Amino acid sequence: MAKLNCNGQTIREINSSIRKCISVGESVAVESPGARHNLGVALLGSGEVTFQGSVGYYCGGLMDGATIRIRGNAGWGLAESMLDGQVIVEGNAGNSAGAAIRGGTLVVQGDSGARTGVSMKNGLIIVTGSCGYMSGFMGQGGKMIICGDAAEALGDSMYETVCFVGGKIADLGNDAIVVDITNEDRAFLDASLRKHLPNTMLKNLPNGDNFKKVVSGKKLWNFDKSDWKTWEQAL
Amino acid sequence: MGTGSLIIMAKSGIESKTLQKSGTFSSRVIDDIQTKAASGIYRMRGYGTLRERHWATFDDLTFLPCSLTRIPLEGYREKCETKTVLGGRFAEQPIKLDIPIMITGMSWGALSYNAKVALAKGASQIGSSNTTGDGGMLDAERENSRTLIYEVLPSRYGINVHHMRMSDGIELTIGQGAKPGTGGLLLESKVSDEIAQKRELPIGVDQRSPARHPDMLGPDDMTIKIEELREATDWRVPIFVKLGASRVYDDVKLAAKAGADVVVVDGMEGGTGASPAIMQEHTGIPTLAAVCEARTALEDMGLYGTVQLIISGGIRDGVDVAKAMALGADAVYIGTAALIALNCNRPIYIEDYKKLDTEPHFCHYCHTGRCPVGVTTQDPELMERLPVDEAAERVTNLLRAMTLEIQMLARACGKSDAHHLEPEDMAALTAEASAICRVPLAGTRRVWGSSNT
């Protein structure tokens, strides 16, 4: 595994070095990331990069195919607009983690901030802790698994994103509804958690039977003047 | 004659055929109230503001060609440069255009496939650029664009790093002149199978795009976002920041401080495929005012000439472009004018205008998806009415004619480069235009509102 120390290097130099490794499928350990912004942006390839500390905004943004592991916390917009790949944060993630992702998997092994999964189009987001308000806002597709609690306005104005919540839901957003969980969902939850989380974490998490499933009620998909009660907050 | 007079005349048996309409409750207002009373929702439509223009516009300025104080260039002979370079502040490969008129971002969804491809071809044939819009990039758009600007919008529909890296510039869109502070709108009839798939939405929804970016809020976040976009494109292409014209002076300063190479300011006359009508009529400031505020902002930062300024919103001809350039714009975007060149509001297929309760020159029904001329529709039969190559030729012709108009005015003002046009080449025809543009009122030596005159 290649090693790279961020001290004394610009973001451009750091990313350039990371990309050289990723493009040929090589793994790289990045030391002293210093919570700097835009680390590991637009990584196109199958290699793996490990940040040995916290990262700032937009880490893993616009990536396609790589694997990123963060041994620390992450700032806003983690993995935003990811097409494919895997991002694992061993700490917490700031606001808008997984914003607008179109594929891939984001795993937050702690809590994640407001608007987690906002405008996500596809892919999978797993948060082992709790998530902030308006998570799943305008989600268009993909799945989000929140093992802990979800703050206010969960799943507001969603299209086809499916949210699973293992803890308490403070409040559902506009047009978000809780529906029965199916056997298929349970199997998906158990398989996803087993696949993406270490065994040491699994024993403390709810199993598939204990999740609530939140989807769109589809009442805001088309303007409908006859249902004013639903629309008064959404027009 | 007042209503009281009519009553007296009626009582006295004197017949009168004088009808008087309320100045407050005009026909338009009555129609608006009764439509809302029936629907229970605000009105939505496309096209842009329909208001009569009582505010200062480019028409309130006139050029002062050379006579004795300055020497003109030969109008039909001598060279007048129109080449335009955008984005040299930080980008390694600035955009180089042959003309200062560019095609603005309009989505595949709002526009038909044929319209998008025709705009790309039409712009490329004369060395101009095209912009993607809210819905991602079309392969045919890339193939047919000499210079393609990739828009990054709050919705992030179809966001794709590979497309971004294939582009010649990136436009981070914060707002739009027709409806600053709101997101896009694409009604059910236009969310076809193809459009839904491209945007990753259910088929047939009334798609309302977000007003804010999902992963940034204020200008500090945007500074980091701009760096992210540069990293994603290896610092190669220019980053534009597009603003709807509202608090232009402050917004332009913030965009420039955040690291934009180019700032785009879209005035209230700008068009849209669909939006609540009130947003089009009652939000934002006019394009003329916007260009003046934007220039002042860049000058006050010492960045005028370093950060390029693109102006858009209701630009109709080369005269508007020349005036915008004289006031400080490096280039302009056109949208509605380009659609009109494609055939928008052309008097053909009259029966289909009638089905929309309208007629040519009055149509603003882009939001319905029933565009009679195949420009703003996803209906394959309607789209066939817009053959790509012929439509592209008309776009090229319009851009060529507008460029000739710019050169004509520039040469008459003694300029060998259209970018050398300056405020001193113009006089204001109204006190308002004088005050806004800081150009003397014709017939005086005064700049209205200036403290030292």
Side-chain angles (χ1 to χ4, degrees):
Chain A
M1 180 183 284
K3 281 192 177 175
L4 174 68
N5 193 302
C6 296
N7 288 331
Q9 295 205 60
T10 65
I11 292 296
R12 197 174 176 188
E13 289 166 342
I14 298 165
N15 281 336
S16 176
S17 300
I18 295 172
R19 282 194 198 112
K20 276 182 193 153
C21 297
I22 294 295
S23 63
V24 294
E26 190 182 347
S27 297
V28 55
V30 181
E31 295 169 350
S32 304
R36 291 163 76 177
H37 304 310
N38 293 321
L39 288 166
V41 160
L43 300 185
L44 314 175
S46 57
E48 180 171 345
V49 52
T50 303
F51 291 102
Q52 307 282 16
S54 295
V55 297
Y57 275 42
Y58 307 133
C59 179
L62 295 160
M63 63 179 268
D64 186 13
T67 296
I68 294 179
R69 180 174 289 276
I70 300 158
R71 299 197 189 281
N73 302 313
W76 283 34
L78 175 66
E80 67 89 12
S81 302
M82 169 170 59
L83 287 179
D84 198 6
Q86 192 173 20
V87 177
I88 303 129
V89 199
E90 295 186 356
N92 302 316
N95 291 347
S96 303
I101 60 169
R102 297 185 63 199
T105 303
L106 167 62
V107 181
V108 181
Q109 295 180 357
D111 297 328
S112 89
R115 301 185 298 280
T116 302
V118 55
S119 286
M120 65 186 288
K121 330 286 185 192
N122 210 330
L124 172 65
I125 297 175
I126 299 173
V127 181
T128 61
S130 299
C131 67
Y133 70 93
M134 287 200 97
S135 289
F137 179 51
M138 293 189 76
Q140 295 171 227
K143 293 186 169 70
M144 188 156 63
I145 304 171
I146 311 296
C147 298
D149 300 336
E152 293 79 3
L154 175 72
D156 193 296
S157 302
M158 285 196 303
Y159 291 103
E160 293 181 309
T161 297
V162 179
C163 302
F164 297 99
V165 181
K168 292 177 192 161
I169 299 172
D171 169 37
L172 290 172
N174 287 320
D175 200 24
I177 58 171
V178 176
V179 296
D180 290 341
I181 198 161
T182 64
N183 287 335
E184 194 181 342
D185 294 328
R186 289 185 189 96
F188 164 78
L189 286 162
D190 288 336
S192 299
L193 295 177
R194 270 202 309 275
K195 179 177 177 187
H196 295 289
L197 296 176
N199 287 334
T200 50
M201 283 189 134
L202 287 175
K203 61 184 177 190
N204 300 320
L205 297 177
N207 63 31
D209 291 329
N210 298 323
F211 279 88
K212 291 171 275 295
K213 181 180 182 182
V214 177
V215 298
S216 169
K218 305 185 181 180
K219 289 186 175 176
L220 296 179
W221 284 16
N222 292 90
F223 290 112
D224 181 3
K225 65 179 181 182
S226 63
D227 192 4
W228 174 245
K229 196 67 194 163
T230 303
W231 275 90
E232 62 184 344
Q233 295 295 320
L235 279 172
Chain B
M1 185 183 290
T3 311
S5 306
L6 288 169
I7 293 168
I8 293 166
M9 289 166 71
K11 283 181 177 171
S12 65
I14 302 170
E15 282 190 20
S16 171
K17 291 186 178 175
T18 305
L19 299 176
Q20 191 164 23
K21 194 177 281 182
S22 166
T24 304
F25 292 93
S26 62
S27 295
R28 185 187 59 76
V29 173
I30 290 169
D31 176 56
D32 186 53
I33 290 171
Q34 293 179 343
T35 302
K36 286 187 287 195
S39 71
I41 188 173
Y42 45 71
R43 303 182 76 174
M44 285 175 268
R45 61 170 177 78
Y47 208 64
T49 179
L50 302 178
R51 289 167 69 179
E52 285 190 36
R53 307 209 298 174
H54 297 302
W55 54 84
T57 71
F58 290 114
D59 288 341
D60 295 321
L61 296 168
T62 188
F63 278 103
L64 303 175
C66 303
S67 51
L68 285 176
T69 52
R70 297 183 181 194
I71 310 300
L73 300 184
E74 286 293 345
Y76 305 103
R77 295 175 184 83
E78 286 187 278
K79 188 175 179 182
C80 179
E81 190 58 77
T82 57
K83 286 191 189 308
T84 301
V85 180
L86 303 166
R89 185 186 187 193
F90 296 118
E92 288 172 0
Q93 294 176 12
I95 286 173
K96 294 178 180 171
L97 305 171
D98 291 340
I99 62 171
I101 313 163
M102 309 156 78
I103 305 295
T104 194
M106 294 176 278
S107 73
W108 177 47
L111 303 192
S112 66
Y113 179 92
N114 285 15
K116 283 297 285 177
V117 179
L119 289 173
K121 279 186 114 165
S124 297
Q125 284 169 175
I126 194 166
S128 179
S129 69
N130 184 45
T131 311
T132 54
D134 194 6
M137 192 181 87
L138 277 168
D139 291 343
E141 189 174 30
R142 176 64 276 184
E143 287 159 16
N144 287 285
S145 294
R146 191 183 90 158
T147 303
L148 180 62
I149 295 156
Y150 185 87
E151 237 182 321
V152 176
L153 292 119
S155 70
R156 308 282 170 86
Y157 294 135
I159 184 98
N160 185 316
V161 64
H162 303 287
H163 291 169
M164 196 178 279
R165 289 169 64 84
M166 288 162 68
S167 73
D168 304 289
I170 294 176
E171 184 168 275
L172 182 62
T173 299
I174 306 300
Q176 181 179 343
K179 48 183 177 182
T182 61
L185 197 60
L186 195 69
L187 299 181
E188 176 184 0
S189 61
K190 296 173 87 169
V191 185
S192 64
D193 296 15
E194 276 185 308
I195 297 299
Q197 189 182 5
K198 181 80 175 174
R199 299 187 183 203
E200 292 155 308
L201 286 168
I203 296 164
V205 297
D206 289 321
Q207 172 239 296
R208 287 148 290 139
S209 303
R212 296 189 303 268
H213 281 268
D215 53 359
M216 62 180 232
L217 293 177
D220 295 332
D221 299 346
M222 190 170 78
T223 305
I224 307 167
K225 173 56 71 178
I226 288 174
E227 184 187 54
E228 184 199 13
L229 297 173
R230 290 198 194 281
E231 281 294 315
T233 51
D234 303 325
W235 292 71
R236 183 177 53 84
V237 304
I239 310 291
F240 297 16
V241 172
K242 181 178 178 180
L243 306 162
S246 52
R247 294 177 180 83
V248 174
Y249 179 79
D250 293 329
D251 288 343
V252 167
K253 287 179 87 169
L254 290 167
K257 182 171 181 287
D261 292 300
V262 178
V263 178
V264 182
V265 182
D266 190 22
M268 68 176 276
E269 296 98 321
T272 174
S275 168
I278 57 165
M279 299 304 296
Q280 297 172 61
E281 305 294 13
H282 299 286
T283 62
I285 69 168
T287 303
L288 179 75
V291 65
C292 297
E293 278 202 55
R295 176 185 176 144
T296 305
L298 292 175
E299 283 176 337
D300 287 356
M301 295 182 83
L303 290 175
Y304 182 64
T306 301
V307 172
Q308 279 75 49
L309 177 63
I310 298 176
I311 284 292
S312 58
I315 300 290
R316 303 159 298 179
D317 51 27
V319 183
D320 286 349
V321 182
K323 289 174 179 174
M325 292 176 75
L327 290 171
D330 293 280
V332 304
Y333 273 155
I334 61 167
T336 304
L339 300 190
I340 292 171
L342 288 180
N343 263 352
C344 165
N345 269 293
R346 192 181 183 88
I348 50 176
Y349 305 107
I350 308 287
E351 66 284 2
D352 288 325
Y353 283 96
K354 286 181 180 166
K355 285 179 193 166
L356 291 166
D357 264 346
T358 189
E359 55 185 286
H361 296 198
F362 292 85
C363 187
H364 48 259
Y365 289 83
C366 329
H367 61 298
T368 65
R370 303 303 305 160
C371 177
V373 293
V375 175
T376 59
T377 182
Q378 297 305 317
D379 182 307
E381 286 182 22
L382 292 173
M383 190 174 72
E384 275 184 19
R385 297 176 180 181
L386 189 72
V388 170
D389 288 343
E390 292 169 29
E393 195 60 31
R394 291 195 295 276
V395 172
T396 303
N397 285 340
L398 174 70
L399 292 171
R400 181 177 292 122
M402 288 174 73
T403 304
L404 291 171
E405 289 174 336
I406 298 166
Q407 290 172 310
M408 176 68 63
L409 290 165
R411 287 193 195 102
C413 291
K415 305 295 197 265
S416 59
D417 188 320
H419 295 280
H420 294 167
L421 283 165
E422 54 193 334
E424 289 76 9
D425 290 319
M426 298 185 293
L429 299 173
T430 65
E432 287 92 342
S434 173
I436 292 167
C437 303
R438 284 171 293 158
V439 164
L441 181 66
T444 78
R445 303 182 72 77
R446 288 189 61 192
V447 171
W448 241 243
S450 171
S451 57
N452 57 4
T453 54

PDB file of all heavy atoms in Angstrom, chain B residues 49-61:
ATOM      1  N   THR B  49     -41.548  37.149 -18.182  1.00  0.00           N
ATOM      2  CA  THR B  49     -42.508  38.201 -17.859  1.00  0.00           C
ATOM      3  C   THR B  49     -43.300  38.646 -19.091  1.00  0.00           C
ATOM      4  O   THR B  49     -42.746  38.763 -20.190  1.00  0.00           O
ATOM      5  CB  THR B  49     -41.812  39.418 -17.204  1.00  0.00           C
ATOM      6  OG1 THR B  49     -42.797  40.412 -16.950  1.00  0.00           O
ATOM      7  CG2 THR B  49     -40.728  39.993 -18.084  1.00  0.00           C
ATOM      8  N   LEU B  50     -44.586  38.893 -18.880  1.00  0.00           N
ATOM      9  CA  LEU B  50     -45.444  39.403 -19.952  1.00  0.00           C
ATOM     10  C   LEU B  50     -45.781  40.876 -19.722  1.00  0.00           C
ATOM     11  O   LEU B  50     -46.534  41.465 -20.487  1.00  0.00           O
ATOM     12  CB  LEU B  50     -46.748  38.594 -20.015  1.00  0.00           C
ATOM     13  CG  LEU B  50     -46.608  37.084 -20.237  1.00  0.00           C
ATOM     14  CD1 LEU B  50     -47.981  36.419 -20.215  1.00  0.00           C
ATOM     15  CD2 LEU B  50     -45.904  36.785 -21.559  1.00  0.00           C
ATOM     16  N   ARG B  51     -45.246  41.431 -18.648  1.00  0.00           N
ATOM     17  CA  ARG B  51     -45.600  42.818 -18.328  1.00  0.00           C
ATOM     18  C   ARG B  51     -45.094  43.775 -19.409  1.00  0.00           C
ATOM     19  O   ARG B  51     -44.028  43.572 -19.982  1.00  0.00           O
ATOM     20  CB  ARG B  51     -44.965  43.227 -16.995  1.00  0.00           C
ATOM     21  CG  ARG B  51     -45.591  42.559 -15.811  1.00  0.00           C
ATOM     22  CD  ARG B  51     -44.741  42.743 -14.575  1.00  0.00           C
ATOM     23  NE  ARG B  51     -44.730  44.125 -14.112  1.00  0.00           N
ATOM     24  CZ  ARG B  51     -44.063  44.530 -13.031  1.00  0.00           C
ATOM     25  NH1 ARG B  51     -43.365  43.675 -12.330  1.00  0.00           N
ATOM     26  NH2 ARG B  51     -44.101  45.785 -12.665  1.00  0.00           N
ATOM     27  N   GLU B  52     -45.867  44.832 -19.630  1.00  0.00           N
ATOM     28  CA  GLU B  52     -45.350  45.906 -20.471  1.00  0.00           C
ATOM     29  C   GLU B  52     -44.201  46.550 -19.726  1.00  0.00           C
ATOM     30  O   GLU B  52     -44.256  46.726 -18.517  1.00  0.00           O
ATOM     31  CB  GLU B  52     -46.453  46.928 -20.749  1.00  0.00           C
ATOM     32  CG  GLU B  52     -47.443  46.416 -21.765  1.00  0.00           C
ATOM     33  CD  GLU B  52     -48.394  47.509 -22.208  1.00  0.00           C
ATOM     34  OE1 GLU B  52     -47.977  48.673 -22.320  1.00  0.00           O
ATOM     35  OE2 GLU B  52     -49.568  47.179 -22.417  1.00  0.00           O
ATOM     36  N   ARG B  53     -43.194  46.953 -20.471  1.00  0.00           N
ATOM     37  CA  ARG B  53     -41.954  47.358 -19.805  1.00  0.00           C
ATOM     38  C   ARG B  53     -41.972  48.849 -19.473  1.00  0.00           C
ATOM     39  O   ARG B  53     -41.695  49.696 -20.312  1.00  0.00           O
ATOM     40  CB  ARG B  53     -40.771  46.999 -20.689  1.00  0.00           C
ATOM     41  CG  ARG B  53     -40.830  45.523 -21.098  1.00  0.00           C
ATOM     42  CD  ARG B  53     -39.506  44.918 -21.343  1.00  0.00           C
ATOM     43  NE  ARG B  53     -38.772  45.531 -22.434  1.00  0.00           N
ATOM     44  CZ  ARG B  53     -37.519  45.199 -22.739  1.00  0.00           C
ATOM     45  NH1 ARG B  53     -36.898  44.283 -22.026  1.00  0.00           N
ATOM     46  NH2 ARG B  53     -36.902  45.762 -23.732  1.00  0.00           N
ATOM     47  N   HIS B  54     -42.304  49.149 -18.230  1.00  0.00           N
ATOM     48  CA  HIS B  54     -42.301  50.538 -17.785  1.00  0.00           C
ATOM     49  C   HIS B  54     -41.018  50.869 -17.033  1.00  0.00           C
ATOM     50  O   HIS B  54     -40.881  51.960 -16.500  1.00  0.00           O
ATOM     51  CB  HIS B  54     -43.525  50.806 -16.888  1.00  0.00           C
ATOM     52  CG  HIS B  54     -44.815  50.628 -17.607  1.00  0.00           C
ATOM     53  ND1 HIS B  54     -45.139  51.335 -18.742  1.00  0.00           N
ATOM     54  CD2 HIS B  54     -45.872  49.819 -17.376  1.00  0.00           C
ATOM     55  CE1 HIS B  54     -46.338  50.966 -19.176  1.00  0.00           C
ATOM     56  NE2 HIS B  54     -46.796  50.034 -18.375  1.00  0.00           N
ATOM     57  N   TRP B  55     -40.133  49.907 -16.943  1.00  0.00           N
ATOM     58  CA  TRP B  55     -38.868  50.147 -16.254  1.00  0.00           C
ATOM     59  C   TRP B  55     -37.793  50.489 -17.300  1.00  0.00           C
ATOM     60  O   TRP B  55     -38.004  50.330 -18.497  1.00  0.00           O
ATOM     61  CB  TRP B  55     -38.457  48.916 -15.455  1.00  0.00           C
ATOM     62  CG  TRP B  55     -38.389  47.637 -16.260  1.00  0.00           C
ATOM     63  CD1 TRP B  55     -37.356  47.209 -17.017  1.00  0.00           C
ATOM     64  CD2 TRP B  55     -39.431  46.656 -16.391  1.00  0.00           C
ATOM     65  NE1 TRP B  55     -37.672  46.006 -17.608  1.00  0.00           N
ATOM     66  CE2 TRP B  55     -38.934  45.638 -17.243  1.00  0.00           C
ATOM     67  CE3 TRP B  55     -40.728  46.528 -15.873  1.00  0.00           C
ATOM     68  CZ2 TRP B  55     -39.683  44.523 -17.581  1.00  0.00           C
ATOM     69  CZ3 TRP B  55     -41.473  45.410 -16.213  1.00  0.00           C
ATOM     70  CH2 TRP B  55     -40.947  44.421 -17.061  1.00  0.00           C
ATOM     71  N   ALA B  56     -36.669  50.975 -16.819  1.00  0.00           N
ATOM     72  CA  ALA B  56     -35.596  51.339 -17.740  1.00  0.00           C
ATOM     73  C   ALA B  56     -35.054  50.089 -18.432  1.00  0.00           C
ATOM     74  O   ALA B  56     -34.788  49.081 -17.784  1.00  0.00           O
ATOM     75  CB  ALA B  56     -34.477  52.041 -16.979  1.00  0.00           C
ATOM     76  N   THR B  57     -34.912  50.176 -19.750  1.00  0.00           N
ATOM     77  CA  THR B  57     -34.405  49.048 -20.527  1.00  0.00           C
ATOM     78  C   THR B  57     -33.289  49.542 -21.455  1.00  0.00           C
ATOM     79  O   THR B  57     -33.002  50.739 -21.521  1.00  0.00           O
ATOM     80  CB  THR B  57     -35.510  48.422 -21.405  1.00  0.00           C
ATOM     81  OG1 THR B  57     -35.800  49.348 -22.460  1.00  0.00           O
ATOM     82  CG2 THR B  57     -36.774  48.140 -20.606  1.00  0.00           C
ATOM     83  N   PHE B  58     -32.735  48.607 -22.189  1.00  0.00           N
ATOM     84  CA  PHE B  58     -31.703  48.986 -23.160  1.00  0.00           C
ATOM     85  C   PHE B  58     -32.252  49.974 -24.187  1.00  0.00           C
ATOM     86  O   PHE B  58     -31.494  50.745 -24.780  1.00  0.00           O
ATOM     87  CB  PHE B  58     -31.142  47.742 -23.860  1.00  0.00           C
ATOM     88  CG  PHE B  58     -30.305  46.876 -22.959  1.00  0.00           C
ATOM     89  CD1 PHE B  58     -30.714  45.590 -22.607  1.00  0.00           C
ATOM     90  CD2 PHE B  58     -29.095  47.338 -22.457  1.00  0.00           C
ATOM     91  CE1 PHE B  58     -29.938  44.799 -21.774  1.00  0.00           C
ATOM     92  CE2 PHE B  58     -28.307  46.549 -21.621  1.00  0.00           C
ATOM     93  CZ  PHE B  58     -28.731  45.277 -21.278  1.00  0.00           C
ATOM     94  N   ASP B  59     -33.574  49.965 -24.392  1.00  0.00           N
ATOM     95  CA  ASP B  59     -34.170  50.917 -25.342  1.00  0.00           C
ATOM     96  C   ASP B  59     -34.054  52.353 -24.853  1.00  0.00           C
ATOM     97  O   ASP B  59     -34.279  53.288 -25.625  1.00  0.00           O
ATOM     98  CB  ASP B  59     -35.651  50.570 -25.574  1.00  0.00           C
ATOM     99  CG  ASP B  59     -35.814  49.310 -26.390  1.00  0.00           C
ATOM    100  OD1 ASP B  59     -34.841  48.908 -27.062  1.00  0.00           O
ATOM    101  OD2 ASP B  59     -36.911  48.712 -26.361  1.00  0.00           O
ATOM    102  N   ASP B  60     -33.755  52.535 -23.590  1.00  0.00           N
ATOM    103  CA  ASP B  60     -33.620  53.890 -23.043  1.00  0.00           C
ATOM    104  C   ASP B  60     -32.209  54.445 -23.188  1.00  0.00           C
ATOM    105  O   ASP B  60     -31.855  55.445 -22.557  1.00  0.00           O
ATOM    106  CB  ASP B  60     -34.039  53.899 -21.566  1.00  0.00           C
ATOM    107  CG  ASP B  60     -35.509  53.566 -21.411  1.00  0.00           C
ATOM    108  OD1 ASP B  60     -36.300  54.029 -22.244  1.00  0.00           O
ATOM    109  OD2 ASP B  60     -35.851  52.819 -20.484  1.00  0.00           O
ATOM    110  N   LEU B  61     -31.415  53.766 -23.986  1.00  0.00           N
ATOM    111  CA  LEU B  61     -30.065  54.248 -24.295  1.00  0.00           C
ATOM    112  C   LEU B  61     -29.936  54.381 -25.805  1.00  0.00           C
ATOM    113  O   LEU B  61     -30.586  53.639 -26.557  1.00  0.00           O
ATOM    114  CB  LEU B  61     -29.009  53.247 -23.804  1.00  0.00           C
ATOM    115  CG  LEU B  61     -28.920  53.000 -22.300  1.00  0.00           C
ATOM    116  CD1 LEU B  61     -28.036  51.783 -22.032  1.00  0.00           C
ATOM    117  CD2 LEU B  61     -28.364  54.221 -21.576  1.00  0.00           C
TER     118      LEU B  61
END
